[in-house]
């Protein structure tokens, strides 16, 4: 998954694009290190342009949520694409991570 990071009013937004899969483990780990060490408490992951998420991608979302929560930060999944929304619904991610349409 390609991503861009922006900060506004103390909130970090990570805008994803493409697929979130096993291949993204290294880049997500680096991103998480940056997010965990930032001064921002609120992290938004914009999934509007994410077209597919595999089981490893679901695991990466859970990893992100756990690591951020451990350092006192919140993760919100925002605007998932129709396909991503279906995948997240089937995996019941909304029960574990805050989601906003």
């Amino acid at each position: 998954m390609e991503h861009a990071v922006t900060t506004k009013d103390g909130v970090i937004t990570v805008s994803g694009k493409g697929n979130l899969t096993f291949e993204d483990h290294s880049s997500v780990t680096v991103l998480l290190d940056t997010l965990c060490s930032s001064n921002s408490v609120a992290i938004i992951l914009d999934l509007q342009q994410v077209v597919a998420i595999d089981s490893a991608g679901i695991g990466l979302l859970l990893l992100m949520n756990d690591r951020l929560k451990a350092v006192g930060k919140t993760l919100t999944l925002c605007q998932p694409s129709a396909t991503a929304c279906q995948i997240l619904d089937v995996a019941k991610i909304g029960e574990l991570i805050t989601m906003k349409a």
Side-chain angles (χ1 to χ4, degrees):
M1 173 183 82
E2 297 176 34
H3 66 273
V5 179
T6 57
T7 304
K8 183 178 179 183
D9 299 327
V11 176
I12 295 176
T13 300
V14 179
S15 299
K17 182 177 182 182
N19 301 327
L20 180 57
T21 66
F22 176 77
E23 295 176 3
D24 296 304
H25 186 269
S26 295
S27 63
V28 168
T29 301
V30 171
L31 174 63
L32 265 173
D33 291 341
T34 301
L35 295 174
C36 287
S37 64
S38 75
N39 292 328
S40 297
V41 175
I43 314 296
I44 295 172
L45 180 56
D46 184 341
L47 299 173
Q48 189 172 10
Q49 295 184 35
V50 174
V51 294
I53 304 171
D54 68 5
S55 59
I58 295 292
L60 289 173
L61 292 174
L62 295 172
L63 173 70
M64 289 178 75
N65 189 55
D66 290 348
R67 279 205 47 205
L68 291 169
K69 204 179 276 190
V71 294
K73 300 179 187 299
T74 61
L75 176 65
T76 302
L77 305 180
C78 183
Q79 299 180 337
S81 66
T83 304
C85 191
Q86 289 176 340
I87 294 164
L88 296 172
D89 284 346
V90 168
K92 299 186 187 282
I93 293 301
E95 295 178 11
L96 303 169
I97 303 173
T98 302
M99 290 182 54
K100 292 185 179 176

